[in-house]
Amino acid sequence: MRKPDDQGTAVPADSDAPAYAHKLSRRDSLKLLAALAASAMLPALPACDSTSTGDVGGVVAGDGHWPELELPPVTARGYGKDPALMTPPETPWPLTLTPAQLSLLSLLSDIIVPAEGQSPSASAVQVPTVVDEWVSAPYPDQQRDRLTILSALAWLDDEAALRFSRPFTALARPQQLAIVDDIAYDNAQTPRQFQRIAGAFSRLRNLVLAAYFCTPEGMRDIGYLGNVAIAGDYPGPTPEAYRHLDKVLAELGLGEFAYPVG
């Protein structure tokens, strides 16, 4: 088992990645955390369970390496069942990712969501801060994800050292992508030695994507308007929406009950 102090406390000296810095206030990062928790883009993926994240024993030949992390428990109390919503605490729990972990997470986030056209990259909108908030929160689901995400980050550094004798953040982009390509998909074609990390990376990818599209920039990128006042009378659903609704109702055998009879 790795001890907590084996996870690094600073960006490695030979790393080419810039140090990531939190730029969101805690209030803003907690707002995004709440949006992330409610996001339909973040299902309860199987990557959170013990079969995917390395907390099962008995690894056999062919399963590949895995960083069996020994993480200190998160003991903060959180908001509790009756929070003071009018005056919420500014720092309900400490953020737990180290500078090295944040720098690696920032690099991975930008591989998953790079800048394109007018759309900023994931790190530019502080997605790593939101993920740090998520894995630091003292709740069961978030703590299961904490083990998943930290294991994935440690695995990437271990794999980079095995292949190229350097930490992941110090590799050239083609070398980084060669590793990511091997673990990018968790499906029937995934080689056995990458199945466990592919499950963990799937959870990391979904956290990054969901956090990105919870930001104002991410919402604009997909054209989401949110609650916007409509001037004048409500125009009603579009013809396309009606056609889709009619199709679904017909498939359910509910077409004759869909609209009131005059």
Side-chain angles (χ1 to χ4, degrees):
M1 297 287 288
R2 284 196 188 186
K3 300 297 183 182
D5 55 2
D6 293 330
Q7 298 170 45
T9 56
V11 179
D14 57 349
S15 172
D16 295 326
Y20 178 83
H22 291 304
K23 296 180 181 178
L24 288 177
S25 69
R26 285 305 297 276
R27 185 174 292 271
D28 286 340
S29 65
L30 287 167
K31 287 179 182 178
L32 288 171
L33 173 71
L36 179 58
S39 174
M41 294 184 62
L42 190 63
L45 299 178
C48 285
D49 67 30
S50 63
T51 61
S52 300
T53 58
D55 36 348
V56 291
V59 178
V60 298
D63 283 347
H65 61 90
W66 188 256
E68 299 288 351
L69 301 184
E70 188 177 294
L71 301 177
V74 171
T75 57
R77 294 180 58 189
Y79 277 109
K81 295 183 178 180
D82 189 22
L85 296 178
M86 298 303 295
T87 55
E90 287 290 339
T91 54
W93 51 76
L95 299 179
T96 58
L97 293 187
T98 68
Q101 291 163 346
L102 281 168
S103 294
L104 176 51
L105 178 59
S106 176
L107 191 156
L108 290 170
S109 297
D110 286 352
I111 289 176
I112 295 168
V113 186
E116 184 176 0
Q118 299 299 312
S119 301
S121 69
S123 69
V125 296
Q126 295 282 286
V127 163
T129 297
V130 183
V131 176
D132 192 2
E133 196 78 70
W134 181 270
V135 302
S136 301
Y139 306 114
D141 288 347
Q142 283 70 24
Q143 286 309 291
R144 283 192 291 271
D145 279 347
R146 178 176 179 236
L147 177 59
T148 301
I149 301 311
L150 291 178
S151 296
L153 296 179
W155 185 95
L156 284 161
D157 265 340
D158 290 346
E159 183 71 8
L162 288 170
R163 294 195 196 188
F164 306 111
S165 301
R166 300 185 74 190
F168 189 89
T169 54
L171 301 180
R173 181 50 61 94
Q175 295 172 325
Q176 293 169 344
L177 294 180
I179 295 176
V180 171
D181 285 346
D182 283 339
I183 65 173
Y185 300 103
D186 182 15
N187 54 38
Q189 286 71 49
T190 305
R192 181 172 175 175
Q193 71 267 28
F194 297 135
Q195 287 176 359
R196 181 181 265 182
I197 179 58
F201 186 77
S202 177
R203 185 60 176 177
L204 171 59
R205 180 176 57 244
N206 277 272
L207 278 170
V208 167
L209 289 171
Y212 182 83
F213 289 114
C214 285
T215 67
E217 295 85 354
M219 287 189 285
R220 283 198 298 269
D221 194 40
I222 58 176
Y224 177 70
L225 299 178
N227 295 322
V228 178
I230 298 175
D233 295 334
Y234 173 57
T238 64
E240 293 81 3
Y242 270 120
R243 286 194 293 270
H244 174 72
L245 177 61
D246 288 340
K247 179 177 180 293
V248 172
L249 290 171
E251 291 172 351
L252 295 173
L254 300 175
E256 62 180 302
F257 307 107
Y259 308 108
V261 178

